[in-house]
Amino acid sequence: MPEGPSIVIPKEEAGGFVGRKVTGVRGNSREPIQRIEGQRLRALRSWGKHFLMEFDDFSVRIHFMLFGRYRIDERKPTPERLGLDFAGGGELNFYACSVRFIEAPLDEVYDVMNDAWDPAAARRKLRARPDTLAADALLDQDVFAGVGNIIKNEVLHRIRLHPESRIGALSPRKLGELVTQAREYSFDFLRWKKAYVLRKHYQVHTRTICPRDGHRLSYRKHLGQAKRRAFYCEHCQRL
């Protein structure tokens, strides 16, 4: 499943379609996708791990799930879940993904990389979850939309926090670091991914030795309520 920053890339690459009318629709989605034909694409957005296409009266949400892919101005040999042709030429195709319509306006929905994302609101939400593990808190899409397991592991190492630390035990300073770095690392993630060097910058995710102190990293296949993989250093990440 892609992390939220990865969704920014197709949003930027498909930016040339904004303002153009959809002239053809195809795909094997069970949603009423034909309603998109004749509509003008007003905006593209990323919302957490979702790719959003905004039209006048509705939006279309694409969730790439585990194996989703997209193609611009080309097609794969497999059937599209959703394919769109645009006036003036060009096409946008999605594969192995989830397609859903959203009828409500999107203006109230923001992810951790959006300029309107409110860190103070994130801190308030976290303080209301004192028993939540730090690892689970970072994966809570209601607080950190777009943060995934890679970012979770790397942020916790960056701020020297053990994944099983409970939110209520954190000092205000440490809670602030958690919120700040969730956003800052997301932008680092995007920059590295665009440069095809993301994996080179992993400090703990899928690694075995802590680059900070040389100790062997701990690994948990299922940690917390989210039951996601955790890589962390028992020596420098404080519980």
Side-chain angles (χ1 to χ4, degrees):
M1 181 185 295
E3 308 267 329
S6 301
I7 309 301
V8 177
I9 296 175
K11 183 185 74 171
E12 294 178 349
E13 291 179 344
F17 294 124
V18 173
R20 294 163 62 181
K21 184 176 291 187
V22 176
T23 57
V25 180
R26 63 191 168 276
N28 57 17
S29 171
R30 295 182 179 180
E31 290 286 297
I33 59 176
Q34 293 304 321
R35 67 186 290 203
I36 305 173
E37 187 167 359
Q39 298 287 327
R40 192 175 299 277
L41 180 61
R42 296 301 182 184
L44 294 173
R45 303 192 189 191
S46 63
W47 167 17
K49 299 178 182 181
H50 302 159
F51 176 80
L52 295 166
M53 296 180 286
E54 190 172 5
F55 299 92
D56 285 331
D57 300 317
F58 59 85
S59 296
V60 177
R61 187 204 77 183
I62 304 293
H63 193 311
F64 288 103
M65 305 172 72
L66 288 175
F67 304 108
R69 295 289 185 270
Y70 70 96
R71 292 290 186 272
I72 297 175
D73 294 338
E74 64 174 329
R75 301 186 190 185
K76 295 179 64 175
T78 55
E80 301 93 342
R81 184 77 78 235
L82 175 64
L84 303 177
D85 297 322
F86 289 88
E91 58 186 275
L92 181 56
N93 300 303
F94 300 96
Y95 303 86
C97 61
S98 170
V99 179
R100 292 289 185 271
F101 282 86
I102 298 176
E103 308 298 336
L106 300 177
D107 290 338
E108 299 300 321
V109 183
Y110 303 109
D111 74 6
V112 71
M113 297 183 70
N114 194 289
D115 289 340
W117 186 73
D118 186 355
R123 289 193 295 271
R124 287 194 298 270
K125 290 179 180 179
L126 290 174
R127 284 194 289 267
R129 300 160 167 80
D131 294 329
T132 302
L133 300 184
D136 286 327
L138 280 167
L139 295 175
D140 187 337
Q141 298 300 292
D142 183 50
V143 182
F144 298 109
V147 170
N149 205 48
I150 297 172
I151 295 175
K152 176 208 76 178
N153 288 326
E154 294 295 320
V155 166
L156 290 174
H157 181 263
R158 182 178 278 192
I159 67 173
R160 298 172 180 258
L161 184 64
H162 193 287
E164 292 181 303
S165 301
R166 297 196 180 273
I167 292 299
L170 304 186
S171 67
R173 178 179 179 180
K174 186 59 67 175
L175 187 67
E177 289 180 4
L178 181 73
V179 171
T180 297
Q181 290 303 320
R183 177 176 169 84
E184 290 192 5
Y185 190 89
S186 294
F187 282 101
D188 289 340
F189 184 111
L190 176 61
R191 175 167 52 85
W192 293 329
K193 189 172 181 65
K194 283 183 173 180
Y196 302 100
V197 295
L198 176 60
R199 292 179 181 273
K200 294 180 180 179
H201 288 274
Y202 289 172
Q203 299 295 294
V204 292
H205 188 75
T206 69
R207 303 302 195 218
T208 56
I209 302 297
C210 177
R212 187 154 50 213
D213 55 45
H215 284 75
R216 188 169 185 84
L217 294 172
S218 296
Y219 169 70
R220 296 272 293 278
K221 186 176 181 180
H222 300 113
L223 186 144
Q225 288 190 340
K227 299 187 184 301
R228 300 297 302 278
R229 290 194 301 167
F231 300 85
Y232 57 97
C233 180
E234 294 275 8
H235 182 74
C236 67
Q237 290 181 244
R238 182 182 177 188
L239 179 63

